[in-house]
Amino acid sequence: MTRMTFSTAIRSDIAGRSATTDARLLVSRRTTVSAVIPTLNEAENLPHVLARLPDCVDEVIIVDGHSTDDTVGVAKTLRPDARVVLQNRRGKGNALACGFAAATSDIIVMLDADGSTDPAEIPAFLAPLLEGADFAKGSRYLHGGGSSDITRVRSAGNRILGFAVNVLFGTSYTDLCYGYNAFWRHCLPYMQVTCDGFEVETVINIRIAQAGLSTTEVPSREQARISGQSNLRAWKDGRRVLNTIVAERFRRRLEPGNAWHPHYDEMLPDYPLGDRVAISSAGA
């Protein structure tokens, strides 16, 4: 059973802590942070997202789903130090799996490229990890959180599915299907992310709970997508999440292992934007 903690003291500390303070704390503890950002035609949104990344992020990993716009070019122009990984299949789950496999830091943060998850909130996710939690899970339903994007139908479905997970797995999650999370890299062998779609958040949350790792929920405010259209389909993806919950309920508990490592291709640091074959392969 996962251990949920979110004290008033921690909430107050997070609210008053600046990115600079967290950066100093991370340096003093020699802790590094990777931000994993899946992208698919997000050229118009990346300038906003990358500009709001706090200084405490050491490694930026753009996981591109073979965008047809200038997503990769924009990312490399704004963040020449960013690593660009090409996912080996399709979907958000596969993109995150590739990004996790590529990440090298002590702490990994997963956030969206459409502007809905605010990178400026990253220090709020780091604080409980530095205080002992294994996994920091964003919630739009905690005091201080909220959403300018979620519809009533999606919110109702999220709550119903979350209730099912809490009953079946002994958790107390308030926001099952939210993709803003941060965790120590020692959580990765327990996740073994092999799914492709938006059910990835459910898979991760359930497997973290089954592993007995400690989870702290962090209030987060979801913004509306800046530009473009979401690939999320409420009914279709809701059914996938439900099927995932049932499958995880009857699946044998995973032993820590390396099955989560996918194959991925990474663009070389000196990769010319006009040459899309300059890549190095990695992964299992």
Side-chain angles (χ1 to χ4, degrees):
M1 181 183 297
T2 190
R3 184 170 71 256
M4 304 295 296
T5 60
F6 196 85
S7 67
T8 302
I10 292 177
R11 187 180 296 116
S12 299
D13 181 53
I14 289 173
R17 181 174 291 179
S18 68
T20 301
T21 301
D22 270 302
R24 291 173 180 167
L25 182 58
L26 289 171
V27 170
S28 68
R29 300 191 181 189
R30 297 180 181 176
T31 301
T32 54
V33 179
S34 293
V36 174
I37 309 174
T39 60
L40 180 60
N41 298 327
E42 302 287 4
E44 294 186 31
N45 300 323
L46 279 180
H48 170 84
V49 174
L50 296 180
R52 291 184 63 80
L53 284 171
D55 291 340
C56 56
V57 173
D58 303 280
E59 180 180 60
V60 178
I61 299 178
I62 304 295
V63 188
D64 192 60
H66 306 280
S67 295
T68 56
D69 67 359
D70 196 29
T71 291
V72 173
V74 169
K76 293 299 290 183
T77 297
L78 296 174
R79 288 292 301 243
D81 61 326
R83 297 172 59 196
V84 177
V85 169
L86 301 179
Q87 62 182 103
N88 67 330
R89 294 200 301 269
R90 297 285 182 180
K92 184 178 182 179
N94 175 249
L96 287 172
C98 291
F100 295 163
T104 62
S105 296
D106 303 310
I107 292 175
I108 300 170
V109 183
M110 46 188 278
L111 66 159
D112 295 333
D114 59 6
S116 60
T117 52
D118 186 359
E121 291 183 352
I122 287 177
F125 286 80
L126 301 183
L129 296 180
L130 294 172
E131 293 173 355
D134 297 304
F135 193 92
K137 178 179 173 5
S139 174
R140 295 163 289 186
Y141 299 110
L142 289 177
H143 177 71
S147 177
S148 302
D149 181 64
I150 194 168
T151 64
R152 290 185 178 181
V153 171
R154 286 171 50 205
S155 182
N158 186 14
R159 288 181 180 274
I160 292 170
L161 294 168
F163 175 79
V165 167
N166 289 339
V167 170
L168 293 174
F169 298 96
T171 56
S172 55
Y173 296 136
T174 63
D175 194 351
L176 179 68
C177 303
Y178 188 44
Y180 202 169
N181 304 295
F183 51 89
W184 292 98
R185 70 177 301 106
H186 66 246
C187 295
L188 286 173
Y190 298 95
M191 294 181 185
Q192 299 188 25
V193 177
T194 55
C195 62
D196 287 343
F198 285 98
E199 70 275 16
V200 61
E201 289 94 356
T202 299
V203 168
I204 290 174
N205 291 331
I206 290 175
R207 293 182 180 179
I208 287 294
Q210 288 185 312
L213 298 170
S214 62
T215 299
T216 295
E217 287 200 319
V218 177
S220 177
R221 179 161 293 278
E222 181 184 39
Q223 307 298 325
R225 165 181 274 272
I226 298 172
S227 177
Q229 294 183 342
S230 172
N231 294 310
L232 177 68
R233 299 295 178 263
W235 293 107
K236 178 181 177 180
D237 291 306
R239 287 194 297 271
R240 291 185 65 157
V241 170
L242 179 59
N243 291 337
T244 295
I245 293 171
V246 174
E248 290 294 307
R249 178 65 180 83
F250 294 102
R251 180 187 53 78
R252 292 181 60 184
R253 183 170 298 186
L254 290 174
E255 295 297 327
N258 294 320
W260 60 272
H261 279 290
H263 169 88
Y264 64 88
D265 292 321
E266 180 174 355
M267 295 180 180
L268 300 174
D270 57 350
Y271 145 83
L273 296 180
D275 180 5
R276 293 187 176 273
V277 298
I279 53 178
S280 59
S281 297

